[in-house]
Amino acid sequence: MNREEILERIRRLMVEIRIDEVKEAVDEALRMGIKPLDIIDNALTPAIREIGDLFEKGEYFLPELIISADLFKEIMDEKLKPLLTAEGSAREVLGRVVIGTVKGDLHDIGKNIVATMLEIAGFEVYDLGVDVAPEEFVRKAKEVNADIVAMSALLTTTMIEMKNVIELLKREGLRDKVKVIVGGAPVTEEFARQIGADAYAEDAVKAVEVCKKLVGEKTGN
Ligand code: B1M
């Protein structure tokens, strides 16, 4: 089996939620030398998005969404995250990032990947979890003297909470001290601009790139 075939096999088994077989296929891909990030971006993420589409069409229901999300997280925690962390060699602390999924939103798979990749790149990451109120983002940013506040949203109904966090940062006199990056499936560059964020990233790799640039702007490097 080549790279394309094994990634396609993982994607298909994941969409069919064949739990043990997906795990076996991931092990097989790793044995073949396929990189964890390749498996995440080109097999697991397209699969879970397809599951979301099937849910929207009424072909899958909430239990399928929950089981597939749990399976994704299990594969991340048990198989892929330890390898990603081991691959990371950065030792210098690039900056402090407070990250969370906004208020009312429980989606955290993408946010967790972003947090992991930032950690690997050398950022000190404070992950507040999901359903994070604006006050909590601001309190933590103050407490740790954050360089960056990073927000994730997966629902069109919750992405507006990002603006509330930015407004609160302004009211608390912190807006010129921290950079703000936003992301998540419904979020766009245009939306980021509209709400006054400093940056948008479409995926975890881009988020790392953008955060490095943002701390560079802060320190003038
Ligand atoms: Co939900 N859900 N869900 N769900 N769910 C979506 C988002 C949806 C698009 C599915 C659909 O209908 N097609 C839809 C939203 C529709 C909309 O808003 N217009 C939806 C819905 C409707 C709901 C509920 C309302 C369903 C219900 O109860 N009737 C409910 C809401 C709960 C709530 O949050 N209050 C709900 C619940 C759930 C579960 C709990 C069952 C589960 C989440 C479990 C968990 O996260 N622990 C779930 C899941 C799994 C999904 C889908 C299928 C997959 C999301 C995911 O993990 N993707 C999703 C379908 C979809 O996204 N197309 C869907 C994989 C992940 C790697 O990608 O999160 O996009 P993503 O992250 C990427 C990038 O976006 C980016 O980098 C990541 C890695 O590359 N990124 C950032 C993310 N955050 C970033 C931050 C950054 C930068 C980049 O900077 C800070």
Side-chain angles (χ1 to χ4, degrees):
M1 223 185 287
N2 64 27
R3 172 185 167 274
E4 279 72 29
E5 284 164 349
I6 188 75
L7 291 178
E8 172 54 23
R9 181 171 160 73
I10 296 171
R11 191 202 59 75
R12 188 174 47 77
L13 291 169
M14 179 84 178
V15 172
E16 291 169 6
I17 319 183
R18 286 156 62 179
I19 296 173
D20 292 337
E21 286 165 271
V22 183
K23 290 182 181 173
E24 280 161 24
V26 169
D27 287 338
E28 173 68 23
L30 291 172
R31 275 196 298 274
M32 288 167 63
I34 294 172
K35 297 272 182 217
L37 205 56
D38 201 6
I39 299 173
I40 295 168
D41 284 350
N42 298 311
L44 297 176
T45 299
I48 202 158
R49 291 201 173 134
E50 203 174 323
I51 289 170
D53 293 344
L54 291 168
F55 171 75
E56 210 173 348
K57 284 190 213 148
E59 288 177 39
Y60 272 7
F61 300 94
L62 212 46
E64 278 92 356
L65 223 54
I66 295 169
I67 294 166
S68 58
D70 285 348
L71 178 57
F72 195 130
K73 289 176 99 168
E74 221 178 290
I75 293 171
M76 275 302 295
D77 292 346
E78 287 172 11
K79 300 181 188 295
L80 305 181
K81 195 173 166 184
L83 292 175
L84 283 169
T85 317
E87 273 177 13
S89 58
R91 287 292 164 263
E92 180 200 355
V93 175
L94 296 180
R96 295 187 196 87
V97 182
V98 168
I99 191 167
T101 301
V102 298
K103 188 173 168 186
D105 201 321
L106 303 176
H107 298 84
D108 66 356
I109 295 175
K111 183 267 296 165
N112 293 345
I113 297 173
V114 173
T116 301
M117 296 306 290
L118 285 171
E119 252 172 46
I120 292 167
F123 285 92
E124 216 170 271
V125 177
Y126 298 86
D127 188 347
L128 302 178
V130 296
D131 191 19
V132 180
E135 294 74 16
E136 188 54 18
F137 275 110
V138 172
R139 190 194 63 72
K140 197 69 186 177
K142 266 188 201 164
E143 183 193 307
V144 303
N145 196 15
D147 299 294
I148 298 174
V149 168
M151 292 179 268
S152 178
L154 262 286
L155 298 171
T156 45
T157 48
T158 58
M159 56 199 264
I160 197 62
E161 285 295 335
M162 294 172 161
K163 185 168 192 298
N164 296 337
V165 175
I166 293 173
E167 293 304 321
L168 190 58
L169 284 169
K170 281 186 197 158
R171 287 204 297 281
E172 295 286 319
L174 282 180
R175 186 62 190 94
D176 55 349
K177 297 192 182 73
V178 292
K179 297 285 183 182
V180 175
I181 174 174
V182 293
V187 178
T188 60
E189 187 103 54
E190 163 79 19
F191 177 76
R193 224 184 352 259
Q194 274 171 17
I195 62 169
D198 296 295
Y200 156 79
E202 69 220 32
D203 60 32
V205 171
K206 192 84 191 160
V208 171
E209 210 178 282
V210 170
C211 285
K212 283 183 178 170
K213 199 161 152 248
L214 290 176
V215 284
E217 282 170 16
K218 270 196 79 186
T219 56
N221 291 323

